[in-house]
Amino acid sequence: MSDVPAADHDSALLLRSVEDPAAFATFYRRNRDSLLTWLYRQTLDAEVAADLAAEVFAVVVERRDRFDPGRGPARAWLWGLANVELNRWRRRGAIAERARRRIGMPVLAVDDEAISYVETLVDIGQVAERLRGHVHRLPDGERAALELRVFHDLPYAEVASRLGCAPGAARVRVSRALARLRDLMGPEDRLVLSGGVGE
Amino acid sequence: MSYFDRLEQELTAAAVRHRPRRQLVSHRVLAAAAVVVVALVAVAWQVSRPRSAYADTVTVQSTSAGVRVTVALRTAPPRAVVKDLRAHGLRADVFDAPTGPSEVGKLIGMSATGPGIVASGRFQVLIPSHWTGSFRVLEGAAAAPGAPYTEPSNAFAAGEPLACLRSGVRVHDLIAVARSRGVTVSWIGLTQTPPDDAAVTEAFATSASSVSAKADTSRVGSSIVCRS
């Protein structure tokens, strides 16, 4: 590890967390929401974003002694790790759990409350125009659910009521529609949706 | 306690348990040694157990929400996907999906039919444990003359209506080529034809004679002339 002093608070926390795990908790709280925001914009799937964030932070726990502030700030290092996990998910279609297993941490089930929380971090309506160009290619049921949720900003309970299905089914339809859109979108759209790296 | 609070608790507990010690040997040396070991193991494994290039085309994972079935290798032939699904004890068959010439014979996606499907995407399906349904693996097939494609194809790909063009072409040039070939163009997300100089970002063939295209009116496109 370099002897270069940490220039920012996150880097200092990360360095301190090797000996003082409480510093890690502060690092997690400071970076959690911005990482979730970025992952959600990249994946368009709140559940995947939450699960990926858990794996990324597990990698941080595992490798925090390897962080070298001489090579860049902690946030850049964190986003580098997140990018690796994101690409792995894109390649494999499944979220790795290896780091969590290696550090003996359970894989927590992402619940509805967590999904709703992630969804509040990104105003998906802002990117709606980019999505709109592809929406006509979705199956009817998924398109209706997506339009009510994203373009009309209705809560899932209201979407479900209008579609005559359970809220869980409405959530599945929206999630499925977003996943399809992600596959349909070109790199240019994805670049716009990504909102930049590390905000 | 919320998911993210529990996550913080578990991560912090893991950080207490997992206190990394300074390495006596540098990571670069360890990485180099690991590469050598992996290479040796890989060679030995290849020699002893030759496998199909499409092994592990499908991954099956148990999660708290159900069993996640994913096509990990999207370039695999549809029949390899079916074979791998069956190897995992799942019922699967190949079905034709009429599409453009560039997608014929290729894997288009999959769908599941049966009770209790939790979530379904083009290459990933979440099913309950002990599921009794089956998978439909979609293979691109030549559409009947004049028939619409159930799966749009890239209109710029080889064999497609606008094969000589590419993303970034000027709207004017795309329209000229389309007109000369009897192809109708509709514009995604626009109510009228975009400016002549705008750049076309994507074009999907929806039949042999129709294309849905998308233009970026903030960008100037490139002039491309088709020789044939």
Side-chain angles (χ1 to χ4, degrees):
Chain A
M1 193 182 291
S2 161
D3 291 330
V4 175
D8 64 285
H9 192 41
D10 284 316
S11 298
L13 282 170
L14 201 51
L15 289 173
R16 211 171 74 218
S17 74
V18 177
E19 300 301 332
D20 174 15
F24 173 80
T26 311
F27 177 81
Y28 165 84
R29 284 196 295 273
R30 282 172 57 88
N31 291 285
R32 181 192 70 190
D33 285 359
S34 51
L35 183 65
L36 282 170
T37 301
W38 184 72
L39 288 170
Y40 182 38
R41 280 175 171 275
Q42 293 286 333
T43 61
L44 289 179
D45 188 321
E47 183 176 3
V48 168
D51 214 5
L52 272 174
E55 181 69 7
V56 171
F57 279 116
V59 176
V60 173
V61 168
E62 189 185 25
R63 300 187 193 167
R64 63 197 194 278
D65 65 321
R66 300 189 203 173
F67 167 62
D68 180 354
R71 299 174 66 181
R75 278 175 66 86
W77 186 71
L78 176 64
W79 257 260
L81 297 178
N83 211 30
V84 168
E85 294 304 324
L86 179 68
N87 287 333
R88 183 171 288 140
W89 170 74
R90 282 182 176 145
R91 273 199 315 275
R92 305 284 303 170
I95 298 164
E97 299 172 355
R98 295 183 303 183
R100 282 173 280 187
R101 278 204 298 268
R102 279 196 300 261
I103 63 172
M105 188 186 140
V107 176
L108 303 174
V110 181
D111 55 22
D112 281 359
E113 188 192 350
I115 291 172
S116 298
Y117 178 75
V118 175
E119 287 178 340
T120 62
L121 295 174
V122 176
D123 180 4
I124 202 76
Q126 282 182 352
V127 296
E129 284 311 311
R130 284 276 164 179
L131 300 177
R132 205 185 285 276
H134 302 279
V135 166
H136 74 287
R137 300 178 67 199
L138 296 174
D140 290 345
E142 291 174 20
R143 185 175 60 225
L146 185 80
E147 285 178 343
L148 291 170
R149 173 70 184 149
V150 174
F151 299 132
H152 299 288
D153 201 24
L154 297 179
Y156 277 113
E158 179 67 20
V159 175
S161 158
R162 295 201 186 186
L163 296 178
C165 64
R171 190 188 296 284
V172 167
R173 284 192 200 178
V174 172
S175 170
R176 203 182 293 174
L178 288 170
R180 273 189 215 274
L181 286 175
R182 196 180 52 237
D183 286 343
L184 291 172
M185 278 189 277
E188 195 177 321
D189 285 331
R190 289 195 184 129
L191 191 65
V192 171
L193 291 176
S194 71
V197 173
E199 299 212 312
Chain B
M1 187 185 285
S2 78
Y3 169 84
F4 293 108
D5 290 339
R6 276 186 292 137
L7 181 60
E8 178 183 337
Q9 206 171 58
E10 293 291 350
L11 285 165
T12 309
V16 172
R17 288 193 304 271
H18 186 87
R19 291 196 182 190
R21 285 179 298 178
R22 294 281 174 99
Q23 298 282 323
L24 295 177
V25 183
S26 84
H27 286 106
R28 285 186 186 172
V29 172
L30 281 176
V35 167
V36 171
V37 169
V38 167
L40 288 172
V41 169
V43 168
W45 181 73
Q46 285 289 346
V47 168
S48 62
R49 285 189 61 193
R51 300 176 74 203
S52 158
Y54 299 113
D56 300 329
T57 295
V58 173
T59 62
V60 177
Q61 281 185 314
S62 282
T63 72
S64 56
V67 178
R68 188 176 288 160
V69 180
T70 306
V71 177
L73 188 60
R74 297 181 181 187
T75 53
R79 280 170 207 291
V81 175
V82 166
K83 190 176 169 190
D84 218 10
L85 284 168
R86 289 176 180 168
H88 282 97
L90 298 162
R91 286 193 296 165
D93 281 298
V94 173
F95 288 82
D96 285 348
T99 185
S102 65
E103 294 291 326
V104 170
K106 293 183 183 172
L107 177 65
I108 300 296
M110 69 173 178
S111 63
T113 53
I117 295 164
V118 183
S120 175
R122 209 166 153 206
F123 293 100
Q124 190 173 80
V125 178
L126 196 57
I127 53 174
S129 308
H130 310 296
W131 188 59
T132 55
S134 61
F135 285 92
R136 294 164 62 91
V137 176
L138 302 177
E139 176 174 359
Y149 301 162
T150 54
E151 193 62 35
S153 53
N154 177 1
F156 298 144
E160 300 289 352
L162 307 177
C164 61
L165 302 177
R166 62 177 182 273
S167 176
V169 63
R170 287 197 313 158
V171 165
H172 175 269
D173 293 342
L174 181 138
I175 291 173
V177 172
R179 193 169 289 156
S180 72
R181 296 178 180 188
V183 173
T184 58
V185 180
S186 59
W187 296 98
I188 298 171
L190 298 174
T191 53
Q192 55 190 3
T193 303
D196 278 354
D197 279 346
V200 178
T201 53
E202 288 173 295
F204 303 101
T206 51
S207 77
S209 58
S210 60
V211 163
S212 288
K214 192 167 176 215
D216 182 349
T217 53
S218 66
R219 272 178 50 204
V220 174
S222 311
S223 181
I224 300 172
V225 177
C226 287
R227 305 242 176 256
S228 54

